[in-house]
Amino acid sequence: MKLSLRGVGKSYSGRGGATNALAPLDMDVREGEFISLVGPSGCGKSTLLHIVAGLEPATAGAVELDGERVLGPGAEIGLMFQQQTLFPWLSVRENVRFPLTLARNRARAPGGARDRQAARIESLLRLVGLWDFRDGYPAELSGGMQQRAVLARALVVQPEVLLMDEPFGALDAQTREQMQELLLHLIQHHRITTLFVTHDVDEALLLADRVVVFSERPGRVLATLDVTFARAARSSELKLDEAFLHQKREIMALLRGRPRSETQRDRLLFGLTHTQLEQGEGGS
Ligand SMILES: Nc1ncnc2c1ncn2[C@@H]1O[C@H](COP(=O)(O)OP(=O)(O)O)[C@@H](O)[C@H]1O
Ligand SMILES: [Mg+2]
């Protein structure tokens, strides 16, 4: 297993007592697998990624990367978080190069071989479509372009695992779709083990090999769905496919806190829409 979580749980202690953020969780992630995590706000998704990244200790259990326990942050793990921004005083290319200048990454980066580094930065900038903007500054870029640069920066150290926490959450729908397509392209050509948190069920399904659905806080795994659409068939159009919509409805029903069979039965019996059903249930 590339990544193993064994009984990983988290509670925060504060003045008002302990907050149970994440119920003990087991998860195995294979090399190259892309896992989407969906669940209600506050169910511990970000907490989980912070723990896997070694940025925060778990209060129970352990995370292993390639069989070794994760005890702190390292370059093996690439991060792309929601509020991440570029350094405004560095050009696009300098931003992408930045992680390679950090001492903790120097041992990992192709040591001394500046040519190879430059080639790698160039290929990443081309991959995300920013080569022509390499000498520009973040303020000159659109939101989507900035996120593409953030993605290139996350990949420059060739991490073993990529953790993405709602990376496209702040983008408009069209730009978001472009980022999804870019990520699909990336996955197809450079398999990288990824945990991807999103609120968007379409996005979760489109990208993933497996979707893990969490319950309300303290988050526990309600279901894990295998997503088997061929990689070559994955594009925005897939979102309209019948099998895709079927899996989407299944996940939506889980997120609403009802098994799908029950949702279907209610609709068959009463001919109600989802909205009517929810209103009738006192906003559950
Ligand atoms: N540093 C912290 N101190 C105390 N409570 C926290 C802290 N970080 C997160 N929490 C709480 O833990 C729960 C899970 O948070 P989070 O992982 O951010 O959820 P999600 O990302 O799924 O929305 C929430 O109730 C949140 O308020
Ligand atoms: Mg979060």
Side-chain angles (χ1 to χ4, degrees):
M1 266 323 137
K2 190 70 191 170
L3 194 64
S4 284
L5 280 63
R6 290 281 163 267
V8 172
K10 179 82 178 181
S11 56
Y12 290 102
S13 47
R15 257 173 271 147
T19 303
N20 211 356
L22 189 67
L25 164 94
D26 292 318
M27 192 188 290
D28 283 315
V29 186
R30 289 185 290 274
E31 169 106 57
E33 205 176 6
F34 191 110
I35 307 233
S36 291
L37 310 172
V38 297
S41 247
C43 75
K45 304 179 296 295
S46 296
T47 300
L48 179 63
L49 291 200
H50 290 154
I51 292 170
V52 174
L55 295 171
E56 235 179 273
T59 43
V63 176
E64 287 188 356
L65 175 64
D66 287 324
E68 286 196 29
R69 199 157 165 182
V70 174
L71 296 168
E76 320 75 55
I77 296 184
L79 306 173
M80 185 168 172
F81 288 168
Q82 203 170 9
Q83 271 108 21
Q84 223 160 13
T85 49
L86 299 166
F87 301 112
W89 60 88
L90 295 180
S91 71
V92 169
R93 184 168 26 191
E94 288 162 348
N95 264 286
V96 172
R97 182 188 296 123
F98 183 78
L100 299 175
T101 65
L102 297 177
R104 68 159 203 240
N105 293 339
R106 265 192 218 126
R108 236 187 115 66
R114 293 193 72 115
D115 293 353
R116 259 186 301 163
Q117 276 196 10
R120 172 152 185 82
I121 291 166
E122 176 173 346
S123 86
L124 276 170
L125 284 170
R126 289 189 188 281
L127 181 73
V128 300
L130 287 178
W131 179 243
D132 290 344
F133 299 89
R134 59 193 178 276
D135 296 319
Y137 285 81
E140 300 159 21
L141 305 182
S142 69
M145 291 160 91
Q146 292 184 21
Q147 281 306 79
R148 285 189 265 148
V150 170
L151 179 59
R153 186 178 61 184
L155 293 173
V156 76
V157 292
Q158 295 182 273
E160 303 283 335
V161 173
L162 185 60
L163 305 177
M164 305 179 85
D165 194 354
E166 304 191 38
F168 312 145
L171 301 176
D172 62 85
Q174 204 185 337
T175 309
R176 187 172 188 140
E177 205 151 85
Q178 287 167 0
M179 289 300 294
Q180 292 165 2
E181 302 265 354
L182 171 64
L183 204 49
L184 280 172
H185 175 83
L186 190 82
I187 296 166
Q188 228 186 326
H189 295 90
H190 313 257
R191 276 305 205 151
I192 172 160
T193 312
T194 305
L195 295 184
F196 185 94
V197 170
T198 178
H199 269 109
D200 181 334
V201 176
D202 276 325
E203 182 172 277
L205 271 170
L206 182 67
L207 299 171
D209 299 307
R210 277 192 289 158
V211 177
V212 179
V213 185
F214 284 88
S215 71
E216 301 263 352
R217 184 171 68 82
R220 59 186 180 80
V221 176
L222 288 177
T224 302
L225 288 87
D226 288 316
V227 187
T228 54
F229 306 107
R231 281 282 155 195
R234 302 219 189 188
S235 73
S236 299
E237 272 142 70
L238 184 64
K239 294 176 188 169
L240 302 171
D241 178 271
E242 203 40 61
F244 187 96
L245 290 170
H246 176 83
Q247 281 202 305
K248 179 178 174 178
R249 281 193 288 267
E250 211 167 321
I251 295 170
M252 302 288 271
L254 285 162
L255 291 173
R256 292 196 178 95
R258 279 171 302 174
R260 169 153 162 73
S261 53
E262 205 177 304
T263 320
Q264 247 176 349
R265 194 198 56 211
D266 290 349
R267 278 157 76 195
L268 288 174
L269 284 177
F270 306 114
L272 298 176
T273 64
H274 276 295
T275 321
Q276 285 168 322
L277 271 173
E278 258 136 36
Q279 282 165 351
E281 287 171 3
S284 71

